[in-house]
Amino acid sequence: MISAIRGTHDILPGEVERWQGLERVTRELCACYGFRELRTPIIEREELFAKGTGQTTDIVQKEMYTFEDKGGERVTLRPEATPSMVRAFFEHALEQRLPAAKVFSLGPMFRYERPQKGRYRQFHQLDVEVFGEPGASLDAEMIEMASSLVSSLGIESSDIVINSVGCESCRSQFNQALLDALGNKLDQLCPDCQRRAKTNPLRIYDCKVLSDQPIIDELPHSVDHLCADCNNHFCEVRTYLDAYELDYRVSHRLVRGLDYYTRTTFEVLGEQLGAQNALLGGGRYDGLVRQLGGPSREGIGFAAGLERLVLAMPEEVEGRGVDVFIVALGENTKKQAHVLARDLRQQGLVTLIDYNVRSLRAQMKRADRTSARAAIILGDDELSRGEVTIKFMETGEQTTVARTDILQQLSQ
Ligand code: AMP
């Protein structure tokens, strides 16, 4: 057998019901906050991510599934949703058409990463984005929404982490402060960090190399290098979070692996998830829309990893069980048994049937294996009287009723 590609996974029956539950809760929550769904293609021009996600990010440098299509165009399987959401939102002038510039999307993303628990090459994200709103109260609302998402999925223990990475003007001063603090210790950092120091020093904070950490721990913090406006903004975000009575902590390491963030960044971490513990992450990106050729609009959003949410969700969500297994006795009743199956399905019952003619015993065994609540037995006699025999599988109790009374009998 040909097996699935490394880093991809099938979502199996039994598991898929948890996904459906997650998607239902997610859609309801997004609607309550005024978000409308926007579905974009999973394939886009490479340029969109090179410009949007950022040339200096690990995603663009190492992880994209990019290839030339048969027409010679460089295309990429989306590694994240934000650039596509920005593109689609402004390409279709949704600003004029929606009551609020709030959109969300659910779907697969692709990154060529080293697979491990909670980290895949094809994974799924909920992505929420808001455009054209500079106010700090929105930053706090997004963090509150992220926290509500996690708790409405029944995930009880999580940790909200925030930071501010400043704006274009204070960022360059902070980058310089980083380089100054590094001085000649730069030579001791990994080759990736040496490259980051040249292209985007802030990205040094993305480094996971163990031996680099003591040096990185000593580096300055972006919150200590904010300009007055960014500092006020961050303070205001915090006062709103306090009004929501949300528990959170500030972490100077939270610079997020994407280039476009400005000011507020945040993550919600799950407990008991191991190394890949970020359930979701996001932040403000006031320059991105413009950078992608759109109008001058602020942006803020977050992306939640659905695989990680499913892993963190409590166990109890289960699929719908089988209500009825229809047992047909003899060739003559078979057609009527199928018609009955259709009728019961139209009335909303999960109904299974045997497609072969087998003995009563063999069919009852199958009924038992499906854990059906009841077996409905249809023989020639029952057929001629317009009746069926219902056997409740758990108690073994058996009763004969008119075909028209099945639903009533089963709902008792
Ligand atoms: P990012 O788009 O990198 O900001 O990630 C946002 C969220 O998506 C993370 O907090 C994870 O929950 C999830 N995520 C990111 N990369 C992966 C991956 N390779 N596999 C599974 N989930 C991921």
Side-chain angles (χ1 to χ4, degrees):
M1 264 305 276
I2 298 169
S3 59
I5 292 177
R6 191 165 127 81
T8 69
H9 62 102
D10 302 304
I11 303 170
L12 304 179
E15 226 181 318
V16 89
E17 291 76 10
R18 288 167 63 75
W19 282 75
Q20 289 164 344
L22 162 66
E23 286 159 12
R24 185 177 40 74
V25 170
T26 301
R27 285 176 200 284
E28 280 166 12
L29 185 99
C30 286
C32 289
Y33 283 78
F35 285 82
R36 300 285 294 270
E37 186 170 357
L38 169 59
R39 301 185 187 189
T40 66
I42 59 170
I43 193 165
E44 298 268 8
R45 292 176 212 280
E46 178 188 26
E47 193 192 350
L48 181 70
F49 303 107
K51 273 199 187 150
T53 310
Q55 289 286 6
T56 68
T57 59
D58 282 357
I59 294 180
V60 171
Q61 296 217 332
K62 311 183 204 165
E63 297 168 2
M64 293 213 299
Y65 282 87
T66 297
F67 57 96
E68 205 167 279
D69 70 11
K70 293 199 185 338
E73 176 142 34
R74 302 271 304 165
V75 293
T76 299
L77 295 183
R78 63 179 181 197
E80 59 138 344
T82 305
S84 307
M85 296 291 271
V86 171
R87 179 198 56 66
F89 189 87
F90 291 98
E91 194 171 321
H92 302 286
L94 292 183
E95 226 171 356
Q96 278 102 58
R97 291 168 45 190
L98 296 179
K102 290 177 152 187
V103 279
F104 80 95
S105 191
L106 282 162
M109 306 294 151
F110 304 84
R111 292 183 197 172
Y112 197 78
E113 293 195 89
R114 196 171 50 78
Q116 54 180 274
K117 186 180 171 207
R119 197 210 267 160
Y120 310 94
R121 288 180 176 168
Q122 176 177 334
F123 59 98
H124 299 76
Q125 284 185 338
L126 157 71
D127 185 72
V128 299
E129 312 287 355
V130 186
F131 301 112
E133 297 281 355
S137 60
L138 174 62
D139 303 34
E141 184 181 283
M142 296 299 277
I143 296 168
E144 187 281 318
M145 177 185 178
S147 158
S148 286
L149 170 71
V150 170
S151 52
S152 56
L153 291 168
I155 303 169
E156 274 167 13
S157 43
S158 64
D159 192 12
I160 302 170
V161 188
I162 67 167
N163 191 21
S164 174
V165 294
C167 63
E168 224 170 280
S169 70
C170 50
R171 175 82 55 81
S172 54
Q173 284 168 29
F174 176 59
N175 275 333
Q176 193 51 52
L178 280 175
L179 292 177
D180 292 347
L182 269 175
N184 49 18
K185 277 183 263 168
L186 181 59
D187 299 344
Q188 298 164 37
L189 292 180
C190 69
D192 267 350
C193 280
Q194 307 212 6
R195 173 181 53 77
R196 289 168 177 139
K198 287 203 189 82
T199 55
N200 187 353
L202 183 76
R203 295 262 70 85
I204 289 175
Y205 274 117
D206 293 338
C207 178
K208 302 272 171 359
V209 176
L210 224 57
S211 56
D212 284 6
Q213 301 310 311
I215 298 175
I216 296 173
D217 283 341
E218 296 296 309
L219 293 176
H221 301 173
S222 54
V223 283
D224 298 327
H225 291 262
L226 297 177
C227 63
D229 283 351
C230 286
N231 194 42
N232 289 341
H233 186 93
F234 194 49
C235 291
E236 209 183 332
V237 173
R238 297 184 64 172
T239 61
Y240 275 93
L241 292 179
D242 292 341
Y244 287 126
E245 296 182 3
L246 277 182
D247 270 335
Y248 66 89
R249 64 188 168 84
V250 179
S251 164
H252 67 275
R253 297 271 329 221
L254 187 69
V255 298
R256 315 265 309 120
L258 310 167
D259 277 355
Y260 47 64
Y261 286 117
T262 53
R263 297 193 165 171
T264 317
T265 54
F266 57 92
E267 277 186 356
V268 176
L269 310 178
E271 286 161 15
Q272 299 150 358
L273 276 179
Q276 303 304 315
N277 65 345
L279 292 170
L280 61 89
R284 188 166 267 288
Y285 50 84
D286 288 346
L288 179 65
V289 179
R290 186 107 201 91
Q291 205 174 305
L292 288 173
S296 191
R297 295 285 187 282
E298 299 81 3
I300 183 167
F302 68 80
L306 303 194
E307 278 78 2
R308 293 187 197 172
L309 290 174
V310 167
L311 272 173
M313 273 160 55
E315 289 296 330
E316 71 244 13
V317 196
E318 266 183 28
R320 245 192 103 176
V322 178
D323 292 311
V324 171
F325 192 99
I326 299 184
V327 174
L329 300 178
E331 200 56 68
N332 294 339
T333 54
K334 225 171 157 279
K335 273 203 192 67
Q336 280 312 307
H338 275 273
V339 172
L340 177 63
R342 183 208 50 198
D343 294 347
L344 295 180
R345 286 166 180 154
Q346 281 179 351
Q347 293 177 70
L349 295 182
V350 177
T351 307
L352 292 181
I353 188 164
D354 202 325
Y355 297 97
N356 297 303
V357 184
R358 287 179 222 270
S359 69
L360 171 66
R361 206 163 144 252
Q363 290 191 63
M364 287 308 292
K365 227 163 128 185
R366 295 199 82 186
D368 211 35
R369 244 196 7 239
T370 64
S371 304
R373 211 153 58 78
I376 292 188
I377 303 158
L378 197 60
D380 285 332
D381 291 350
E382 281 100 345
L383 190 63
S384 62
R385 292 197 303 267
E387 290 176 347
V388 298
T389 299
I390 300 179
K391 179 175 178 182
F392 290 94
M393 302 303 281
E394 208 177 295
T395 56
E397 194 188 317
Q398 200 163 305
T399 166
T400 301
V401 298
R403 266 177 81 146
T404 45
D405 292 343
I406 296 176
L407 204 62
Q408 191 202 3
Q409 191 67 34
L410 284 176
S411 58
Q412 279 175 7

